[in-house]
Amino acid sequence: MISSPVLRSLWVGIIVLLCTQLYGQVPDKRITGKVVDQHQSPISLATVSLYDHSEKLVLNTATDRLGQFQLKFDQAGRYFVKVRHMGHQDQQSAVFEWSTIDLGTFTLVPLANTLAEVAVEGKKKIIQIDGGTLIYNVESTIGGQDVSVLEALKRAPGVYVENESDITLNGKSGVQILLDGRQTFLSGKELTDLLKSLSSNNLKSIEIINSPTAKYEATGSAGIINIKTKKNQVTGLNGTVTSTLAYGVSAKQLQNVALNYRKDKLNIYGNYSHTFGHYNYLYGTNRQQNGKAYDSHTDDVDKRQKMSTQVGVDYNLNDKNTIGFLANGNFIFGGGITDTRTAISTLPSFVMEETLNAINDYYGQGTERYHVNFNYKYEDTLGRSLNIDADYGFFDKWNKNLQSNTYRDQQQTLLQENLYRTLNGIDIDLKGIKLDYGMNLWQGKLETGLKYSNVGSRNNSRFYHVGDVADSLDNRRSNDFHFDEHTFSAYVDYKRTLGKWSLQGGLRLENSRSTGQLFYKENGADLDNEINRNFTNLFPFFSATRPFGEHQTLSLSYAKRIERPAYADLNPFIYMLDELSFWQGNPFLSPSLTHRFTALYSLKSATVISFNFAYTDQLNAKVTDTLDSDKMVMISKNVGTQKHWSLTLTQNLAPKPWWDLTFNGLFYYIQNDVSFDQYRNLNLQQAAGRVSLIQSFKLPYEMKAELAAVYNSRRLSGANTLSRAVSQVDIAFQKTLLQDKATVRFAINDIYKGNQSRYTQNFPGFVSNSYGYYESRQVRLSFSYRFSNGTAKAQRARKSALESESGRIP
């Protein structure tokens, strides 16, 4: 445990370093200059690159709105500068000796056939590699458009979604999901609900980071998935409107509107999206327990409507200082109903003796999520930057459920009937402040930062027996659960080049103090339990990258990660599917710690091979367990350790000018050494694989087509869940109209309905076989219209101070 004086000393030391470097550093040598076009007008955002005499890149910068640039360096030698800007010919200076020098004015000449050049340069591969980050360009696909963000995410290399709730990466759970570098407010099913409500038409790319540096939150034992929205906007008023109709079991309508207005130093942007319609799910379980068999089937109709909105303002105070405001809102409202029928028999016979019919009528449901961010950013041409974020988030969720449980014998004679009402409410406040500072130091790049966050959660759960006259409160199944958490973190990260090697190392410190209080009644008395925790952890990171020739790169890295429990999983309240099966929280959950090793090889950015090994202690997994003689409970537990090996191959091919292929293959091996209790110890091992292939075709009449296929083999997930193989084939067509301002798309997902899950969970005295289908086969027709004018320019992206905490809300 690291003492609080050490924490205070570290904090003070970093602040002194920031202030000293930000205000007291005097540059030794500078290179200055100006970039203009053929009409002598300044060119902003031109790329200015400094190379040594061997043509090795030293550093980059960009011109400001006056076309001026400034480079700082402190190593003797011979150098030259190259200037680039889209649509213009490159310009290069003469070679000069190390000194302070003004290179004068670079005049860029437009390229002949500029539009053709831009079109060729702007063509992106579906999958690219940038250092240790794998980038899936959603905007370059057809089938990835006009769907929810969740559906687009399922097409990303190595990503799989178990039962519409658990997102895995390369076969491992515990993924941290970021939206434009900011953590979402959700986890589990609530996270997937949010991603379902967002439109993929706003997406630019999905970044997969297997070994995050110390700058990132330590949360995410499987790595980070950063979902990036489109940022290129133009001056004046511009936007996109997209309407989509989809049909699976029932009709759905998806709408997305994105607007941007930019003038001079001011940029205002926003978007709105919704998903209206019902979603139908089918799932069930056949289990054998304590000499009896229970065969249940559930029809689930989700009638909730989903809406999300965002508005932001950025204002450039000058060339170096920018302030911004960003607000997000997400709303889910509407009812839902589940109808579960269970046939009960005594083994070895499977002849039905009685049935249980349970109907959950969610006659009232509502979720509201708000998040506001205030941001200040300083950045100069000398490599110094300061970023400050202040955040506030609010989460409010409630539901009202009326559940009936009706037992009948073989002759359908009523044996027993019970009626329950549950009223649940969750309120969560999140506050955070984050500071990041970067500068050039010792021929490298130093980054450091501080963060503080506070989370307050209030859960109120009431369980009633419904009577003829009035409802009666069941104190045994009702509770109030309060959770408060304070987290402080600090990091330092340094990167520089030594010879042919690019080295990066960092250390992140996180201290978390939390208090959980459970208030309940027992025998008429008011009681409470309190659980206090105080964790301090260090998270090191190191990577080494070396090029081989012009087109090959090898990268090795190590990172330590953590996976903290979701706030709702700590609440011991029981959520019933029926009287024989339910979900329950666990207030005694502990964080899981993971050590990750990664090796990555790339060739011409067309071939990428990566190997990962992860060792996880105190593995946190949702398990199905027995309770009493006839009940089963789904609960999160720390069950043991996990070893995870994975090997991936990503390949881009272009057999013909009109035909592009993107292949991704994954092979992984999992070893779970888990224990439910002292009598049930399991050592499970399973090899698995996943392959996906996306083919793009150029057709006559300026049409395009896309054929995508994915196959997931038999696999092990969670603690002891073995799932059978599933597959899916999608096809999509696209045609542009109205001088490329409008686009019509038609698509069919899961053509032969192959994405139907079946899985087993077994241990001594318990056998369970389950299935699930989540309306993956759908037909879609969409129309999109774009309007714009002016010159392209990029709006800012920024990270939030609530990155980690918001991701743990249910």
Side-chain angles (χ1 to χ4, degrees), residues 585-630:
N586 180 3
F588 301 102
L589 283 175
S590 297
S592 301
L593 292 173
T594 297
H595 299 272
R596 291 183 58 82
F597 300 87
T598 300
L600 187 145
Y601 168 82
S602 65
L603 174 63
K604 294 183 178 180
S605 295
T607 303
V608 181
I609 301 173
S610 67
F611 171 79
N612 290 278
F613 171 73
Y615 176 82
T616 301
D617 192 19
Q618 292 292 314
L619 176 66
N620 185 343
K622 284 184 170 61
V623 300
T624 300
D625 206 348
T626 58
L627 187 68
D628 298 332
S629 62
D630 57 351

Side-chain angles (χ1 to χ4, degrees), residues 96-215:
F96 54 85
E97 294 289 342
W98 171 58
S99 64
T100 296
I101 185 172
D102 185 356
L103 297 177
T105 301
F106 291 81
T107 302
L108 301 188
V109 179
L111 288 166
N113 303 321
T114 299
L115 292 179
E117 293 291 338
V118 171
V120 172
E121 185 175 348
K123 182 181 178 181
K124 292 183 178 180
K125 297 176 182 178
I126 292 179
I127 296 179
Q128 294 177 309
I129 183 69
D130 181 10
T133 301
L134 201 64
I135 302 173
Y136 169 57
N137 291 307
V138 179
E139 62 179 352
S140 298
T141 69
I142 302 175
Q145 303 292 311
D146 312 316
V147 295
S148 68
V149 170
L150 181 66
E151 291 301 319
L153 182 60
K154 291 178 181 179
R155 297 164 62 98
V159 177
Y160 185 73
V161 182
E162 295 275 1
N163 297 322
E164 296 293 288
S165 60
D166 185 19
I167 299 174
T168 65
L169 177 60
N170 295 332
K172 182 172 176 57
S173 60
V175 183
Q176 182 181 186
I177 302 292
L178 305 179
L179 291 176
D180 283 326
R182 294 178 290 109
Q183 218 356 320
T184 66
F185 278 64
L186 316 164
S187 65
K189 189 175 185 303
E190 292 299 330
L191 171 60
T192 58
D193 281 343
L194 171 65
L195 298 180
K196 287 177 183 178
S197 71
L198 301 176
S199 172
S200 67
N201 295 77
N202 286 332
L203 296 189
K204 176 183 179 183
S205 62
I206 295 174
E207 297 179 342
I208 298 173
I209 309 172
N210 282 299
S211 290
T213 68
K215 183 176 181 178

Side-chain angles (χ1 to χ4, degrees), residues 289 574 580 582 584 625-633:
Q289 176 182 347
I574 295 175
L580 301 180
F582 44 85
Q584 184 175 7
D625 206 348
T626 58
L627 187 68
D628 298 332
S629 62
D630 57 351
K631 299 179 178 62
M632 72 172 184
V633 57

Side-chain angles (χ1 to χ4, degrees), residues 201-422:
N201 295 77
N202 286 332
L203 296 189
K204 176 183 179 183
S205 62
I206 295 174
E207 297 179 342
I208 298 173
I209 309 172
N210 282 299
S211 290
T213 68
K215 183 176 181 178
Y216 290 94
E217 298 290 334
T219 302
S221 59
I224 290 177
I225 297 177
N226 183 26
I227 300 171
K228 298 184 68 175
T229 57
K230 295 177 181 177
K231 297 300 177 184
N232 288 330
Q233 303 291 348
V234 299
T235 57
L237 179 64
N238 61 94
T240 304
V241 179
T242 304
S243 295
T244 303
L245 293 176
Y247 188 87
V249 177
S250 59
K252 297 118 177 103
Q253 196 272 326
L254 293 81
Q255 187 70 42
N256 176 255
V257 179
L259 297 173
N260 189 90
Y261 177 77
R262 182 187 294 274
K263 184 177 181 181
D264 300 328
K265 298 181 178 182
L266 179 67
N267 183 46
I268 304 173
Y269 57 95
N271 61 66
Y272 164 83
S273 63
H274 72 231
T275 302
F276 291 162
H278 298 171
Y279 281 83
N280 295 263
Y281 309 132
L282 299 173
Y283 48 87
T285 299
N286 187 334
R287 59 187 168 97
Q288 299 175 23
Q289 176 182 347
N290 198 32
K292 286 199 170 186
Y294 304 86
D295 189 5
S296 68
H297 303 272
T298 300
D299 291 319
D300 187 339
V301 182
D302 185 355
K303 301 179 181 180
R304 296 175 300 166
Q305 314 302 310
K306 306 172 184 69
M307 301 170 60
S308 64
T309 185
Q310 179 189 77
V311 61
V313 179
D314 288 330
Y315 185 76
N316 297 322
L317 299 173
N318 51 45
D319 295 336
K320 299 179 181 179
N321 297 273
T322 304
I323 58 175
F325 169 80
L326 181 66
N328 292 277
N330 180 255
F331 314 95
I332 301 177
F333 55 90
I337 192 165
T338 68
D339 187 348
T340 303
R341 299 176 182 271
T342 303
I344 305 172
S345 57
T346 300
L347 297 174
S349 171
F350 286 91
V351 177
M352 182 187 68
E353 298 175 350
E354 62 177 314
T355 61
L356 167 61
N357 184 21
I359 296 178
N360 285 281
D361 180 6
Y362 291 92
Y363 61 93
Q365 294 183 106
T367 302
E368 297 180 3
R369 305 176 184 90
Y370 302 92
H371 173 258
V372 294
N373 166 262
F374 295 92
N375 173 262
Y376 165 76
K377 186 172 185 179
Y378 168 88
E379 189 170 14
D380 62 21
T381 58
L382 303 179
R384 296 180 298 184
S385 63
L386 174 66
N387 193 85
I388 301 175
D389 279 285
D391 293 82
Y392 175 73
F394 178 75
F395 174 93
D396 177 38
K397 177 181 179 180
W398 59 271
N399 65 68
K400 300 177 180 179
N401 175 38
L402 187 64
Q403 182 187 97
S404 61
N405 288 263
T406 305
Y407 295 86
R408 297 181 184 275
D409 62 16
Q410 291 176 314
Q411 289 74 39
Q412 295 302 301
T413 302
L414 179 63
L415 301 176
Q416 183 181 353
E417 185 173 19
N418 301 314
L419 190 60
Y420 308 111
R421 188 188 310 276
T422 56

Side-chain angles (χ1 to χ4, degrees), residues 435-485:
L435 181 150
D436 297 286
Y437 176 74
M439 68 177 185
N440 296 324
L441 180 68
W442 302 324
Q443 303 173 39
K445 183 71 173 181
L446 174 69
E447 292 183 289
T448 186
L450 302 167
K451 174 187 168 184
Y452 170 77
S453 63
N454 170 239
V455 178
S457 173
R458 302 293 182 266
N459 303 261
N460 184 292
S461 302
R462 295 291 177 264
F463 187 94
Y464 295 89
H465 296 270
V466 177
D468 295 333
V469 178
D471 297 349
S472 60
L473 180 67
D474 188 338
N475 290 320
R476 299 171 303 166
R477 300 183 181 182
S478 302
N479 70 45
D480 287 334
F481 180 71
H482 297 179
F483 181 81
D484 289 284
E485 182 180 57

Side-chain angles (χ1 to χ4, degrees), residues 69-80:
F69 66 87
Q70 187 178 77
L71 294 163
K72 178 195 172 185
F73 65 104
D74 55 4
Q75 184 175 1
R78 294 168 56 82
Y79 301 89
F80 67 90

